[in-house]
Amino acid sequence: MTITMKKSKIGILTGGGDCAGLNPAIKWVVKTALDERLEWERGVQYEVLGIREGWRGLLNVDLISSPDIRGYLEPLSQEMVRTWDRYGGTFLGTSRTNPYDPKNDQSKKVLDNIGKLGLDVVIAIGGEDTLGVAHKLSKDGANVIGIPKTIDKDLPETDYTLGFETSLNVITEEVDRLRTTAGSHKRIFVVETMGRHAGWLALEGGEASGAYIILIPEYDFAIERVGELLLEGRREGSRYDIILVAEGAKPTGGVEFVKESGVDSFGHKALGGIGEFLAREITSHTNLEVRSVTLSHLQRGGAPCAYDRRMGRYFGIAAVDLVERRDFGKMVCYQNGLISAVPLEKVIGRPSLVDIATQYDIERYNGRRTILADEEKAKESAR
Ligand code: F6P
């Protein structure tokens, strides 16, 4: 007698800005879903279909006439993904395509293609934009599960988003490199980080690398105060200084620096330029010699650090657990040391930002100098 096992097809895609940690998550979705031992326990046989280029893949794949179906679809096997956790970026490719773009809503086509491809569930690995689309698709009837990734770490309901720690390592390494040249020339270096409207990369990158001044979007800085701090440092004997500034930071009364006009299909402006502006302003206020460096996409590059490999693994495994439970419309998350899951609706539209009251020193423009004593302040700011 042959026993026929239930079959189920999982689609997986990566959307938004790439980063380290995506490939480990894909690998562990595939390995967990295709694990033969678990297959028998679950009584379901999964297939995993990689979808290339994020939502663009699900939108453009033309199942009837197009010769380039293979361009957007890639059936994934355990053998294929065996080494993927060692590599940065995403082997599935990515895009910032928004099927719900108000100027051209193509969500019906995506829903249609999910049906035509026979996908039981789509696992979307992404940040606010990608998971926002996942949430809308889920409201429109599709089975979706989210995995959080963004070097900006600005998603709520999770203490970790894939890519963040690898980026912090890049920032720390680059600052270490700058220190030798800054010291030799007695210069100030302004280092601009990514992060959009959230200061986590600059703040935690600055804390890890020991920056003298850290400027973040959550607190507008006074250029005069930056100058004062630098001169004070010189009086106390410092030969050089490192300033970390988030791309979304701005001076009091100013606006965010924008690189190009226009917005992407999710309505985002491309931020950038605050570092150069700050360098010029510091020279004019202090007469000190300043250089600026924009770390830009270096922060998204390179092999995943150990933490991103581990977290990618745990998130990937947890996503398959949700599939097995048919607990859809959720994002896997990391909260208080535990991997769990939250409804996607709780994740959308409320970015996680630095709490100035407990996590930032507004006098020194730096990380906090008290930690346990902050408990009271945290309670107050939550009230
Ligand atoms: O969302 C992640 C992010 O890295 C932001 O910090 C940054 O503003 C943006 O992506 C840059 O994106 P792009 O790849 O479109 O230049």
Side-chain angles (χ1 to χ4, degrees), residues 52-99:
R52 291 196 186 282
E53 299 178 31
W55 298 120
R56 186 197 287 153
L58 266 188
L59 185 64
N60 288 357
V61 64
D62 176 350
L63 297 166
I64 300 170
S65 52
S66 171
D68 68 359
I69 291 175
R70 300 288 309 176
Y72 287 114
L73 304 175
E74 183 76 71
L76 298 172
S77 68
Q78 296 201 65
E79 184 46 31
M80 273 174 80
V81 301
R82 190 174 54 84
T83 61
W84 282 22
D85 49 350
R86 300 173 207 165
Y87 299 97
T90 163
F91 288 143
L92 289 179
T94 185
S95 69
R96 293 198 188 272
T97 301
N98 180 6

Side-chain angles (χ1 to χ4, degrees), residues 17 96 150-152 194-196 247 259 271 297 300:
R96 293 198 188 272
T150 161
I151 64 164
D152 302 345
M194 282 188 171
R196 265 200 189 127
E247 62 182 4
K259 267 195 300 210
L271 300 180
H297 295 77
R300 299 220 303 244

Side-chain angles (χ1 to χ4, degrees), residues 160-380:
Y160 195 65
T161 59
L162 297 177
F164 182 72
E165 281 293 325
T166 304
S167 288
L168 287 191
N169 285 344
V170 172
I171 294 171
T172 308
E173 278 168 24
E174 297 305 336
V175 168
D176 280 351
R177 281 201 179 87
L178 286 174
R179 281 182 188 284
T180 54
T181 174
S184 309
H185 290 264
K186 290 188 167 175
R187 281 175 176 154
I188 292 165
F189 267 87
V190 176
V191 181
E192 182 179 309
T193 69
M194 282 188 171
R196 265 200 189 127
H197 309 296
W200 299 113
L201 269 183
L203 178 62
E204 295 185 41
E207 287 174 337
S209 62
Y212 179 53
I213 293 177
I214 303 170
L215 304 171
I216 57 175
E218 291 85 344
Y219 191 80
D220 291 354
F221 63 88
I223 185 70
E224 296 75 17
R225 179 66 187 144
V226 172
E228 257 169 46
L229 286 166
L230 290 167
L231 293 173
E232 191 182 296
R234 291 293 153 121
R235 283 196 296 276
E236 285 168 7
S238 82
R239 280 183 305 124
Y240 73 94
D241 295 291
I242 303 288
I243 301 179
L244 247 69
V245 61
E247 62 182 4
K250 55 187 191 317
T252 330
V255 286
E256 281 170 350
F257 281 73
V258 177
K259 267 195 300 210
E260 301 146 18
S261 59
V263 290
D264 67 15
S265 69
F266 288 95
H268 302 299
K269 295 177 192 155
L271 300 180
I274 178 71
E276 267 184 48
F277 163 83
L278 189 61
R280 281 196 305 274
E281 286 294 302
I282 293 171
T283 307
S284 84
H285 277 74
T286 62
N287 255 331
L288 294 168
E289 202 183 349
V290 192
R291 294 286 188 272
S292 79
V293 170
T294 303
L295 293 183
S296 188
H297 295 77
L298 286 173
Q299 292 160 102
R300 299 220 303 244
C305 66
Y307 194 69
D308 273 315
R309 295 184 201 198
R310 253 182 349 108
M311 293 307 283
R313 175 177 180 138
Y314 302 151
F315 282 162
I317 293 172
V320 178
D321 287 343
L322 288 179
V323 174
E324 201 222 326
R325 286 194 224 152
R326 307 197 64 75
D327 196 359
F328 302 123
K330 293 208 167 151
M331 177 188 84
V332 296
C333 63
Y334 182 62
Q335 287 175 344
N336 303 320
L338 293 175
I339 302 285
S340 67
V342 284
L344 277 167
E345 69 197 19
K346 289 179 100 180
V347 179
I348 310 307
R350 31 185 296 267
S352 151
L353 301 174
V354 174
D355 177 26
I356 296 300
T358 58
Q359 292 167 320
Y360 189 64
D361 181 341
I362 60 171
E363 296 290 315
R364 289 195 180 100
Y365 292 165
N366 211 303
R368 62 195 166 168
R369 288 288 174 88
T370 52
I371 291 182
L372 299 182
D374 282 345
E375 261 172 43
E376 271 313 300
K377 280 201 242 161
K379 275 186 211 146
E380 256 169 52

